Amino acid sequence: MTKHLLSGHARFRSEYFEHESDFLQALARDGQNPSALYIGCSDSRVVPELLTTSRPGELFVVRNIANVVPSFDHADASVGAAIEYAVAVLKVPHVIVCGHDKCGGVKAALDGVDKLAAHKSLHEWVSEILPAATRAREIEKGDDKALLRCAVEENVLYSMENLTTYPAVAAALAAHKLEFHGWVFDIDAGKLRVYDVTAQEFVEAAVVAH
Ligand SMILES: [Zn+2]
């Protein structure tokens, strides 16, 4: 069943590892110095390194269902530890929270968590999205598609708000050593929307060529 993955690894060895050996050996020798903490959804269609064309060492990644950041007083130790390590130890200058359209986790929160009662962990986790779902219902009066899109965006903003409750994050923000970025990946169009703080809305990402 995993045969194709192992043959994929063989291709990685021959096509990437051999090609980039100087870069990868330097990275292994010198340690990581990522430029961003990326918090995104576990959804298999939203691959952070692919959608940002990032190399190894670039992104310190946390992925969970619906890119949730529980507040510090509600903290999940796995998410909390990754945030503290990235911000306080690695001292990343950027934090990105990236949601995506058609997110199953956000949709589950909109549909009502009672349906998940048989799955304790899933029920508990998706319940973290309920405040964002409630906000979306207050803002968006359109159809289900528009409501989900809005809830995905509100969920990114809610996670960003919760990030500020972590002392390590608050300290880095106060010292002007950390910038926040809210993104939503449109999986149909393959495009990012980014949160514009001035306009207070998500807008299509400006494409900056390298
Ligand atoms: Zn998702």
Side-chain angles (χ1 to χ4, degrees), residues 128-168:
E128 294 284 344
I129 308 166
L130 290 175
T134 301
R135 278 192 201 171
R137 286 193 193 284
E138 288 164 8
I139 297 166
E140 178 59 60
K141 303 298 181 191
D143 61 13
D144 286 353
K145 196 176 158 193
L147 178 62
L148 178 55
R149 179 184 163 105
C150 179
V152 162
E153 293 178 351
E154 287 304 310
N155 186 47
V156 167
L157 297 177
Y158 186 60
S159 284
M160 288 165 71
E161 285 171 34
N162 282 342
L163 268 167
T164 65
T165 65
Y166 289 75

mmCIF file of all heavy atoms in Angstrom, residues 128-168:
data_model
loop_
_atom_site.group_PDB
_atom_site.id
_atom_site.type_symbol
_atom_site.label_atom_id
_atom_site.label_comp_id
_atom_site.label_asym_id
_atom_site.label_seq_id
_atom_site.Cartn_x
_atom_site.Cartn_y
_atom_site.Cartn_z
ATOM 1 N N GLU A 128 -13.473 23.853 19.455
ATOM 2 C CA GLU A 128 -12.635 25.059 19.504
ATOM 3 C C GLU A 128 -12.979 26.033 18.368
ATOM 4 O O GLU A 128 -12.636 27.215 18.421
ATOM 5 C CB GLU A 128 -11.144 24.693 19.406
ATOM 6 C CG GLU A 128 -10.605 23.900 20.588
ATOM 7 C CD GLU A 128 -10.385 24.765 21.817
ATOM 8 O OE1 GLU A 128 -10.350 26.003 21.692
ATOM 9 O OE2 GLU A 128 -10.272 24.185 22.917
ATOM 10 N N ILE A 129 -13.609 25.511 17.316
ATOM 11 C CA ILE A 129 -13.922 26.334 16.137
ATOM 12 C C ILE A 129 -15.282 27.031 16.292
ATOM 13 O O ILE A 129 -15.619 27.934 15.533
ATOM 14 C CB ILE A 129 -13.908 25.447 14.857
ATOM 15 C CG1 ILE A 129 -12.596 24.664 14.771
ATOM 16 C CG2 ILE A 129 -14.095 26.263 13.582
ATOM 17 C CD1 ILE A 129 -12.622 23.524 13.766
ATOM 18 N N LEU A 130 -16.052 26.624 17.292
ATOM 19 C CA LEU A 130 -17.425 27.144 17.426
ATOM 20 C C LEU A 130 -17.506 28.673 17.546
ATOM 21 O O LEU A 130 -18.398 29.280 16.934
ATOM 22 C CB LEU A 130 -18.140 26.467 18.606
ATOM 23 C CG LEU A 130 -18.467 24.981 18.380
ATOM 24 C CD1 LEU A 130 -19.061 24.364 19.653
ATOM 25 C CD2 LEU A 130 -19.437 24.806 17.206
ATOM 26 N N PRO A 131 -16.604 29.329 18.299
ATOM 27 C CA PRO A 131 -16.709 30.795 18.351
ATOM 28 C C PRO A 131 -16.568 31.441 16.971
ATOM 29 O O PRO A 131 -17.278 32.410 16.653
ATOM 30 C CB PRO A 131 -15.543 31.196 19.271
ATOM 31 C CG PRO A 131 -15.303 29.981 20.119
ATOM 32 C CD PRO A 131 -15.568 28.814 19.211
ATOM 33 N N ALA A 132 -15.689 30.908 16.150
ATOM 34 C CA ALA A 132 -15.514 31.443 14.787
ATOM 35 C C ALA A 132 -16.760 31.161 13.946
ATOM 36 O O ALA A 132 -17.189 32.006 13.146
ATOM 37 C CB ALA A 132 -14.275 30.827 14.143
ATOM 38 N N ALA A 133 -17.349 29.994 14.131
ATOM 39 C CA ALA A 133 -18.568 29.650 13.387
ATOM 40 C C ALA A 133 -19.710 30.595 13.780
ATOM 41 O O ALA A 133 -20.476 31.049 12.920
ATOM 42 C CB ALA A 133 -18.950 28.194 13.671
ATOM 43 N N THR A 134 -19.792 30.899 15.057
ATOM 44 C CA THR A 134 -20.840 31.811 15.537
ATOM 45 C C THR A 134 -20.646 33.206 14.949
ATOM 46 O O THR A 134 -21.598 33.843 14.488
ATOM 47 C CB THR A 134 -20.811 31.879 17.083
ATOM 48 O OG1 THR A 134 -21.025 30.559 17.576
ATOM 49 C CG2 THR A 134 -21.871 32.814 17.630
ATOM 50 N N ARG A 135 -19.398 33.662 14.953
ATOM 51 C CA ARG A 135 -19.112 34.980 14.360
ATOM 52 C C ARG A 135 -19.502 35.010 12.889
ATOM 53 O O ARG A 135 -20.069 35.996 12.401
ATOM 54 C CB ARG A 135 -17.610 35.265 14.445
ATOM 55 C CG ARG A 135 -17.164 35.788 15.777
ATOM 56 C CD ARG A 135 -15.751 36.282 15.613
ATOM 57 N NE ARG A 135 -15.062 36.341 16.866
ATOM 58 C CZ ARG A 135 -13.746 36.584 16.975
ATOM 59 N NH1 ARG A 135 -13.015 36.750 15.899
ATOM 60 N NH2 ARG A 135 -13.181 36.631 18.149
ATOM 61 N N ALA A 136 -19.182 33.949 12.172
ATOM 62 C CA ALA A 136 -19.491 33.900 10.733
ATOM 63 C C ALA A 136 -20.998 33.989 10.508
ATOM 64 O O ALA A 136 -21.456 34.673 9.590
ATOM 65 C CB ALA A 136 -18.927 32.622 10.121
ATOM 66 N N ARG A 137 -21.779 33.322 11.362
ATOM 67 C CA ARG A 137 -23.242 33.372 11.213
ATOM 68 C C ARG A 137 -23.772 34.791 11.434
ATOM 69 O O ARG A 137 -24.775 35.194 10.842
ATOM 70 C CB ARG A 137 -23.906 32.421 12.212
ATOM 71 C CG ARG A 137 -23.762 30.975 11.827
ATOM 72 C CD ARG A 137 -24.699 30.095 12.650
ATOM 73 N NE ARG A 137 -24.371 28.688 12.512
ATOM 74 C CZ ARG A 137 -24.667 27.954 11.452
ATOM 75 N NH1 ARG A 137 -25.314 28.504 10.444
ATOM 76 N NH2 ARG A 137 -24.320 26.688 11.401
ATOM 77 N N GLU A 138 -23.076 35.541 12.286
ATOM 78 C CA GLU A 138 -23.496 36.926 12.546
ATOM 79 C C GLU A 138 -23.160 37.839 11.364
ATOM 80 O O GLU A 138 -23.877 38.784 11.062
ATOM 81 C CB GLU A 138 -22.806 37.458 13.808
ATOM 82 C CG GLU A 138 -23.355 36.828 15.095
ATOM 83 C CD GLU A 138 -22.433 37.033 16.298
ATOM 84 O OE1 GLU A 138 -21.442 37.783 16.185
ATOM 85 O OE2 GLU A 138 -22.692 36.411 17.332
ATOM 86 N N ILE A 139 -22.047 37.537 10.689
ATOM 87 C CA ILE A 139 -21.559 38.403 9.612
ATOM 88 C C ILE A 139 -22.187 38.062 8.262
ATOM 89 O O ILE A 139 -22.603 38.935 7.512
ATOM 90 C CB ILE A 139 -20.013 38.256 9.480
ATOM 91 C CG1 ILE A 139 -19.313 38.732 10.763
ATOM 92 C CG2 ILE A 139 -19.487 39.025 8.268
ATOM 93 C CD1 ILE A 139 -17.851 38.294 10.833
ATOM 94 N N GLU A 140 -22.235 36.778 7.947
ATOM 95 C CA GLU A 140 -22.592 36.335 6.592
ATOM 96 C C GLU A 140 -24.023 35.797 6.548
ATOM 97 O O GLU A 140 -24.341 34.813 7.226
ATOM 98 C CB GLU A 140 -21.587 35.246 6.147
ATOM 99 C CG GLU A 140 -21.859 34.665 4.778
ATOM 100 C CD GLU A 140 -21.845 35.698 3.666
ATOM 101 O OE1 GLU A 140 -20.806 36.337 3.473
ATOM 102 O OE2 GLU A 140 -22.892 35.862 2.990
ATOM 103 N N LYS A 141 -24.847 36.446 5.753
ATOM 104 C CA LYS A 141 -26.250 36.014 5.656
ATOM 105 C C LYS A 141 -26.548 35.335 4.319
ATOM 106 O O LYS A 141 -27.709 35.146 3.957
ATOM 107 C CB LYS A 141 -27.188 37.220 5.849
ATOM 108 C CG LYS A 141 -26.989 37.965 7.164
ATOM 109 C CD LYS A 141 -27.271 37.090 8.376
ATOM 110 C CE LYS A 141 -27.095 37.847 9.682
ATOM 111 N NZ LYS A 141 -27.111 36.958 10.863
ATOM 112 N N GLY A 142 -25.486 35.017 3.572
ATOM 113 C CA GLY A 142 -25.671 34.392 2.264
ATOM 114 C C GLY A 142 -25.883 32.884 2.357
ATOM 115 O O GLY A 142 -26.261 32.360 3.405
ATOM 116 N N ASP A 143 -25.608 32.194 1.240
ATOM 117 C CA ASP A 143 -25.842 30.744 1.198
ATOM 118 C C ASP A 143 -24.754 29.976 1.966
ATOM 119 O O ASP A 143 -23.828 30.578 2.519
ATOM 120 C CB ASP A 143 -25.943 30.266 -0.257
ATOM 121 C CG ASP A 143 -24.669 30.528 -1.051
ATOM 122 O OD1 ASP A 143 -23.624 30.849 -0.443
ATOM 123 O OD2 ASP A 143 -24.715 30.425 -2.291
ATOM 124 N N ASP A 144 -24.883 28.658 1.983
ATOM 125 C CA ASP A 144 -23.954 27.822 2.764
ATOM 126 C C ASP A 144 -22.514 27.978 2.314
ATOM 127 O O ASP A 144 -21.585 27.943 3.126
ATOM 128 C CB ASP A 144 -24.364 26.341 2.646
ATOM 129 C CG ASP A 144 -25.617 26.035 3.461
ATOM 130 O OD1 ASP A 144 -26.071 26.931 4.198
ATOM 131 O OD2 ASP A 144 -26.134 24.907 3.338
ATOM 132 N N LYS A 145 -22.328 28.152 1.002
ATOM 133 C CA LYS A 145 -20.976 28.294 0.453
ATOM 134 C C LYS A 145 -20.324 29.576 0.986
ATOM 135 O O LYS A 145 -19.166 29.581 1.414
ATOM 136 C CB LYS A 145 -21.072 28.342 -1.076
ATOM 137 C CG LYS A 145 -19.778 28.102 -1.792
ATOM 138 C CD LYS A 145 -20.039 28.068 -3.304
ATOM 139 C CE LYS A 145 -18.745 28.363 -4.040
ATOM 140 N NZ LYS A 145 -18.959 28.649 -5.451
ATOM 141 N N ALA A 146 -21.104 30.655 0.960
ATOM 142 C CA ALA A 146 -20.595 31.946 1.458
ATOM 143 C C ALA A 146 -20.342 31.877 2.962
ATOM 144 O O ALA A 146 -19.365 32.427 3.474
ATOM 145 C CB ALA A 146 -21.599 33.054 1.141
ATOM 146 N N LEU A 147 -21.221 31.161 3.667
ATOM 147 C CA LEU A 147 -21.071 31.032 5.120
ATOM 148 C C LEU A 147 -19.782 30.267 5.459
ATOM 149 O O LEU A 147 -19.032 30.668 6.355
ATOM 150 C CB LEU A 147 -22.287 30.306 5.709
ATOM 151 C CG LEU A 147 -22.243 30.068 7.217
ATOM 152 C CD1 LEU A 147 -22.190 31.389 7.987
ATOM 153 C CD2 LEU A 147 -23.460 29.240 7.666
ATOM 154 N N LEU A 148 -19.518 29.192 4.724
ATOM 155 C CA LEU A 148 -18.305 28.410 4.990
ATOM 156 C C LEU A 148 -17.058 29.237 4.692
ATOM 157 O O LEU A 148 -16.096 29.235 5.465
ATOM 158 C CB LEU A 148 -18.311 27.113 4.159
ATOM 159 C CG LEU A 148 -17.070 26.229 4.307
ATOM 160 C CD1 LEU A 148 -16.804 25.878 5.769
ATOM 161 C CD2 LEU A 148 -17.222 24.941 3.488
ATOM 162 N N ARG A 149 -17.105 29.956 3.588
ATOM 163 C CA ARG A 149 -15.960 30.804 3.238
ATOM 164 C C ARG A 149 -15.693 31.827 4.351
ATOM 165 O O ARG A 149 -14.556 32.049 4.759
ATOM 166 C CB ARG A 149 -16.259 31.507 1.902
ATOM 167 C CG ARG A 149 -15.173 32.439 1.409
ATOM 168 C CD ARG A 149 -15.671 33.119 0.139
ATOM 169 N NE ARG A 149 -14.892 34.292 -0.197
ATOM 170 C CZ ARG A 149 -13.992 34.363 -1.178
ATOM 171 N NH1 ARG A 149 -13.748 33.306 -1.912
ATOM 172 N NH2 ARG A 149 -13.331 35.459 -1.424
ATOM 173 N N CYS A 150 -16.753 32.435 4.842
ATOM 174 C CA CYS A 150 -16.632 33.424 5.916
ATOM 175 C C CYS A 150 -16.118 32.763 7.201
ATOM 176 O O CYS A 150 -15.259 33.308 7.895
ATOM 177 C CB CYS A 150 -17.997 34.093 6.147
ATOM 178 S SG CYS A 150 -17.985 35.318 7.467
ATOM 179 N N ALA A 151 -16.640 31.583 7.512
ATOM 180 C CA ALA A 151 -16.226 30.892 8.747
ATOM 181 C C ALA A 151 -14.752 30.494 8.686
ATOM 182 O O ALA A 151 -14.045 30.545 9.693
ATOM 183 C CB ALA A 151 -17.105 29.666 8.978
ATOM 184 N N VAL A 152 -14.294 30.107 7.498
ATOM 185 C CA VAL A 152 -12.870 29.780 7.320
ATOM 186 C C VAL A 152 -12.019 31.021 7.641
ATOM 187 O O VAL A 152 -11.012 30.933 8.351
ATOM 188 C CB VAL A 152 -12.616 29.272 5.882
ATOM 189 C CG1 VAL A 152 -11.147 29.349 5.518
ATOM 190 C CG2 VAL A 152 -13.134 27.848 5.725
ATOM 191 N N GLU A 153 -12.452 32.159 7.132
ATOM 192 C CA GLU A 153 -11.702 33.400 7.379
ATOM 193 C C GLU A 153 -11.769 33.788 8.862
ATOM 194 O O GLU A 153 -10.756 34.151 9.467
ATOM 195 C CB GLU A 153 -12.254 34.532 6.493
ATOM 196 C CG GLU A 153 -11.986 34.284 5.009
ATOM 197 C CD GLU A 153 -12.553 35.370 4.104
ATOM 198 O OE1 GLU A 153 -13.303 36.241 4.608
ATOM 199 O OE2 GLU A 153 -12.253 35.348 2.894
ATOM 200 N N GLU A 154 -12.949 33.703 9.448
ATOM 201 C CA GLU A 154 -13.089 34.050 10.871
ATOM 202 C C GLU A 154 -12.262 33.102 11.749
ATOM 203 O O GLU A 154 -11.723 33.500 12.780
ATOM 204 C CB GLU A 154 -14.566 34.005 11.289
ATOM 205 C CG GLU A 154 -15.385 35.157 10.751
ATOM 206 C CD GLU A 154 -14.811 36.519 11.132
ATOM 207 O OE1 GLU A 154 -14.517 36.733 12.312
ATOM 208 O OE2 GLU A 154 -14.644 37.357 10.229
ATOM 209 N N ASN A 155 -12.163 31.853 11.327
ATOM 210 C CA ASN A 155 -11.385 30.876 12.096
ATOM 211 C C ASN A 155 -9.889 31.215 12.070
ATOM 212 O O ASN A 155 -9.190 31.055 13.068
ATOM 213 C CB ASN A 155 -11.639 29.472 11.538
ATOM 214 C CG ASN A 155 -10.988 28.402 12.374
ATOM 215 O OD1 ASN A 155 -11.095 28.393 13.596
ATOM 216 N ND2 ASN A 155 -10.268 27.497 11.715
ATOM 217 N N VAL A 156 -9.406 31.721 10.953
ATOM 218 C CA VAL A 156 -8.008 32.182 10.871
ATOM 219 C C VAL A 156 -7.809 33.355 11.827
ATOM 220 O O VAL A 156 -6.847 33.391 12.609
ATOM 221 C CB VAL A 156 -7.648 32.585 9.421
ATOM 222 C CG1 VAL A 156 -6.324 33.346 9.378
ATOM 223 C CG2 VAL A 156 -7.584 31.350 8.529
ATOM 224 N N LEU A 157 -8.746 34.308 11.795
ATOM 225 C CA LEU A 157 -8.620 35.491 12.655
ATOM 226 C C LEU A 157 -8.717 35.105 14.134
ATOM 227 O O LEU A 157 -7.995 35.646 14.982
ATOM 228 C CB LEU A 157 -9.693 36.523 12.297
ATOM 229 C CG LEU A 157 -9.612 37.087 10.872
ATOM 230 C CD1 LEU A 157 -10.765 38.052 10.620
ATOM 231 C CD2 LEU A 157 -8.278 37.794 10.631
ATOM 232 N N TYR A 158 -9.588 34.154 14.430
ATOM 233 C CA TYR A 158 -9.750 33.713 15.822
ATOM 234 C C TYR A 158 -8.466 33.038 16.331
ATOM 235 O O TYR A 158 -8.023 33.278 17.455
ATOM 236 C CB TYR A 158 -10.943 32.758 15.905
ATOM 237 C CG TYR A 158 -11.297 32.342 17.307
ATOM 238 C CD1 TYR A 158 -11.658 33.280 18.263
ATOM 239 C CD2 TYR A 158 -11.272 30.997 17.672
ATOM 240 C CE1 TYR A 158 -11.973 32.888 19.568
ATOM 241 C CE2 TYR A 158 -11.589 30.598 18.962
ATOM 242 C CZ TYR A 158 -11.942 31.555 19.898
ATOM 243 O OH TYR A 158 -12.248 31.169 21.187
ATOM 244 N N SER A 159 -7.850 32.223 15.474
ATOM 245 C CA SER A 159 -6.575 31.598 15.860
ATOM 246 C C SER A 159 -5.497 32.660 16.078
ATOM 247 O O SER A 159 -4.678 32.549 16.995
ATOM 248 C CB SER A 159 -6.108 30.605 14.781
ATOM 249 O OG SER A 159 -6.861 29.423 14.846
ATOM 250 N N MET A 160 -5.501 33.696 15.244
ATOM 251 C CA MET A 160 -4.517 34.775 15.418
ATOM 252 C C MET A 160 -4.746 35.512 16.739
ATOM 253 O O MET A 160 -3.794 35.855 17.442
ATOM 254 C CB MET A 160 -4.572 35.738 14.220
ATOM 255 C CG MET A 160 -3.976 35.125 12.956
ATOM 256 S SD MET A 160 -4.398 36.041 11.455
ATOM 257 C CE MET A 160 -3.442 37.513 11.666
ATOM 258 N N GLU A 161 -6.002 35.737 17.069
ATOM 259 C CA GLU A 161 -6.304 36.371 18.362
ATOM 260 C C GLU A 161 -5.813 35.496 19.511
ATOM 261 O O GLU A 161 -5.213 35.982 20.470
ATOM 262 C CB GLU A 161 -7.817 36.566 18.510
ATOM 263 C CG GLU A 161 -8.381 37.705 17.690
ATOM 264 C CD GLU A 161 -9.906 37.678 17.742
ATOM 265 O OE1 GLU A 161 -10.489 37.290 18.782
ATOM 266 O OE2 GLU A 161 -10.507 38.033 16.725
ATOM 267 N N ASN A 162 -6.079 34.198 19.400
ATOM 268 C CA ASN A 162 -5.658 33.289 20.469
ATOM 269 C C ASN A 162 -4.139 33.221 20.593
ATOM 270 O O ASN A 162 -3.610 33.032 21.689
ATOM 271 C CB ASN A 162 -6.234 31.887 20.227
ATOM 272 C CG ASN A 162 -7.695 31.801 20.633
ATOM 273 O OD1 ASN A 162 -8.182 32.652 21.380
ATOM 274 N ND2 ASN A 162 -8.385 30.789 20.144
ATOM 275 N N LEU A 163 -3.447 33.381 19.481
ATOM 276 C CA LEU A 163 -1.977 33.389 19.533
ATOM 277 C C LEU A 163 -1.457 34.455 20.488
ATOM 278 O O LEU A 163 -0.465 34.241 21.190
ATOM 279 C CB LEU A 163 -1.416 33.665 18.127
ATOM 280 C CG LEU A 163 -1.106 32.466 17.246
ATOM 281 C CD1 LEU A 163 -0.884 32.937 15.813
ATOM 282 C CD2 LEU A 163 0.118 31.713 17.745
ATOM 283 N N THR A 164 -2.136 35.589 20.523
ATOM 284 C CA THR A 164 -1.655 36.699 21.354
ATOM 285 C C THR A 164 -1.781 36.398 22.845
ATOM 286 O O THR A 164 -1.231 37.119 23.671
ATOM 287 C CB THR A 164 -2.406 38.017 21.040
ATOM 288 O OG1 THR A 164 -3.784 37.864 21.413
ATOM 289 C CG2 THR A 164 -2.315 38.377 19.574
ATOM 290 N N THR A 165 -2.527 35.346 23.205
ATOM 291 C CA THR A 165 -2.682 35.004 24.628
ATOM 292 C C THR A 165 -1.485 34.216 25.165
ATOM 293 O O THR A 165 -1.386 34.015 26.370
ATOM 294 C CB THR A 165 -3.978 34.180 24.870
ATOM 295 O OG1 THR A 165 -3.873 32.918 24.199
ATOM 296 C CG2 THR A 165 -5.204 34.929 24.372
ATOM 297 N N TYR A 166 -0.595 33.791 24.281
ATOM 298 C CA TYR A 166 0.608 33.062 24.726
ATOM 299 C C TYR A 166 1.656 34.090 25.167
ATOM 300 O O TYR A 166 2.011 34.985 24.372
ATOM 301 C CB TYR A 166 1.162 32.182 23.594
ATOM 302 C CG TYR A 166 0.278 30.994 23.302
ATOM 303 C CD1 TYR A 166 -0.924 31.158 22.616
ATOM 304 C CD2 TYR A 166 0.618 29.712 23.739
ATOM 305 C CE1 TYR A 166 -1.769 30.086 22.371
ATOM 306 C CE2 TYR A 166 -0.223 28.636 23.501
ATOM 307 C CZ TYR A 166 -1.408 28.822 22.819
ATOM 308 O OH TYR A 166 -2.244 27.764 22.596
ATOM 309 N N PRO A 167 2.164 33.970 26.394
ATOM 310 C CA PRO A 167 3.140 34.952 26.867
ATOM 311 C C PRO A 167 4.339 35.122 25.935
ATOM 312 O O PRO A 167 4.812 36.256 25.730
ATOM 313 C CB PRO A 167 3.564 34.387 28.231
ATOM 314 C CG PRO A 167 2.373 33.602 28.697
ATOM 315 C CD PRO A 167 1.788 33.003 27.457
ATOM 316 N N ALA A 168 4.830 34.037 25.371
ATOM 317 C CA ALA A 168 5.994 34.133 24.478
ATOM 318 C C ALA A 168 5.667 34.988 23.247
ATOM 319 O O ALA A 168 6.484 35.788 22.780
ATOM 320 C CB ALA A 168 6.439 32.737 24.034
#
